[in-house]
């Protein structure tokens, strides 16, 4: 069983190791993580972080006794991780109704 860590705020897909001390930044950028998941593994996203336009695609299956678990890590008082697929547009003003 392995545990993989992701943080949009402190992670790095180039130098990150997928550990809590050195998380990856996003799941999508780590195709190897998607392919490496095995039954019993954990894929954890940092509490309080937000991922915009990111997909979490798991390319393998868990089992009844050893599921692949997607969850959170970090400070229990922080908000749950957020996956936001909308686009935030700034710097313009709506006119005419």
């Amino acid at each position: 069983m392995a545990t993989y860590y992701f943080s949009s705020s402190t992670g790095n897909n180039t130098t990150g190791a997928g550990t809590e001390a050195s998380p990856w930044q996003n799941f999508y950028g780590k195709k190897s993580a998607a392919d490496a998941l095995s039954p019993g593994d954990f894929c954890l996203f940092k509490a309080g972080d937000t991922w915009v336009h990111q997909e979490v695609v798991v390319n393998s299956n868990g089992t009844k006794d050893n599921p692949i678990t997607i969850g959170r890590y970090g400070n229990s008082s922080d908000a749950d991780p957020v996956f936001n697929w909308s686009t935030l547009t700034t710097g313009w003003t709506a006119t005419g109704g």
Side-chain angles (χ1 to χ4, degrees):
M1 287 190 254
T3 302
Y4 301 96
Y5 293 86
F6 298 87
S7 171
S8 65
S9 63
T10 63
N12 188 308
N13 281 350
T14 303
T15 61
T19 64
E20 186 170 4
S22 181
W24 288 316
Q25 186 172 34
N26 57 59
F27 192 85
Y28 185 76
K30 292 304 297 180
K31 183 159 175 50
S32 60
D35 293 332
L37 291 173
S38 298
D41 286 352
F42 289 82
C43 182
L44 303 178
F45 295 87
K46 187 175 180 184
D49 279 7
T50 298
W51 286 262
V52 178
H53 297 294
Q54 298 292 315
E55 292 181 306
V56 177
V57 178
V58 177
N59 296 328
S60 52
N61 297 310
T63 66
K64 178 181 175 188
D65 294 328
N66 288 302
I68 294 172
T69 303
I70 297 176
R72 61 176 264 161
Y73 74 97
N75 192 334
S76 62
S77 64
D78 287 342
D80 285 338
V82 173
F83 295 89
N84 184 349
W85 282 273
S86 64
T87 301
L88 176 62
T89 303
T90 60
W92 61 273
T93 304
T95 61

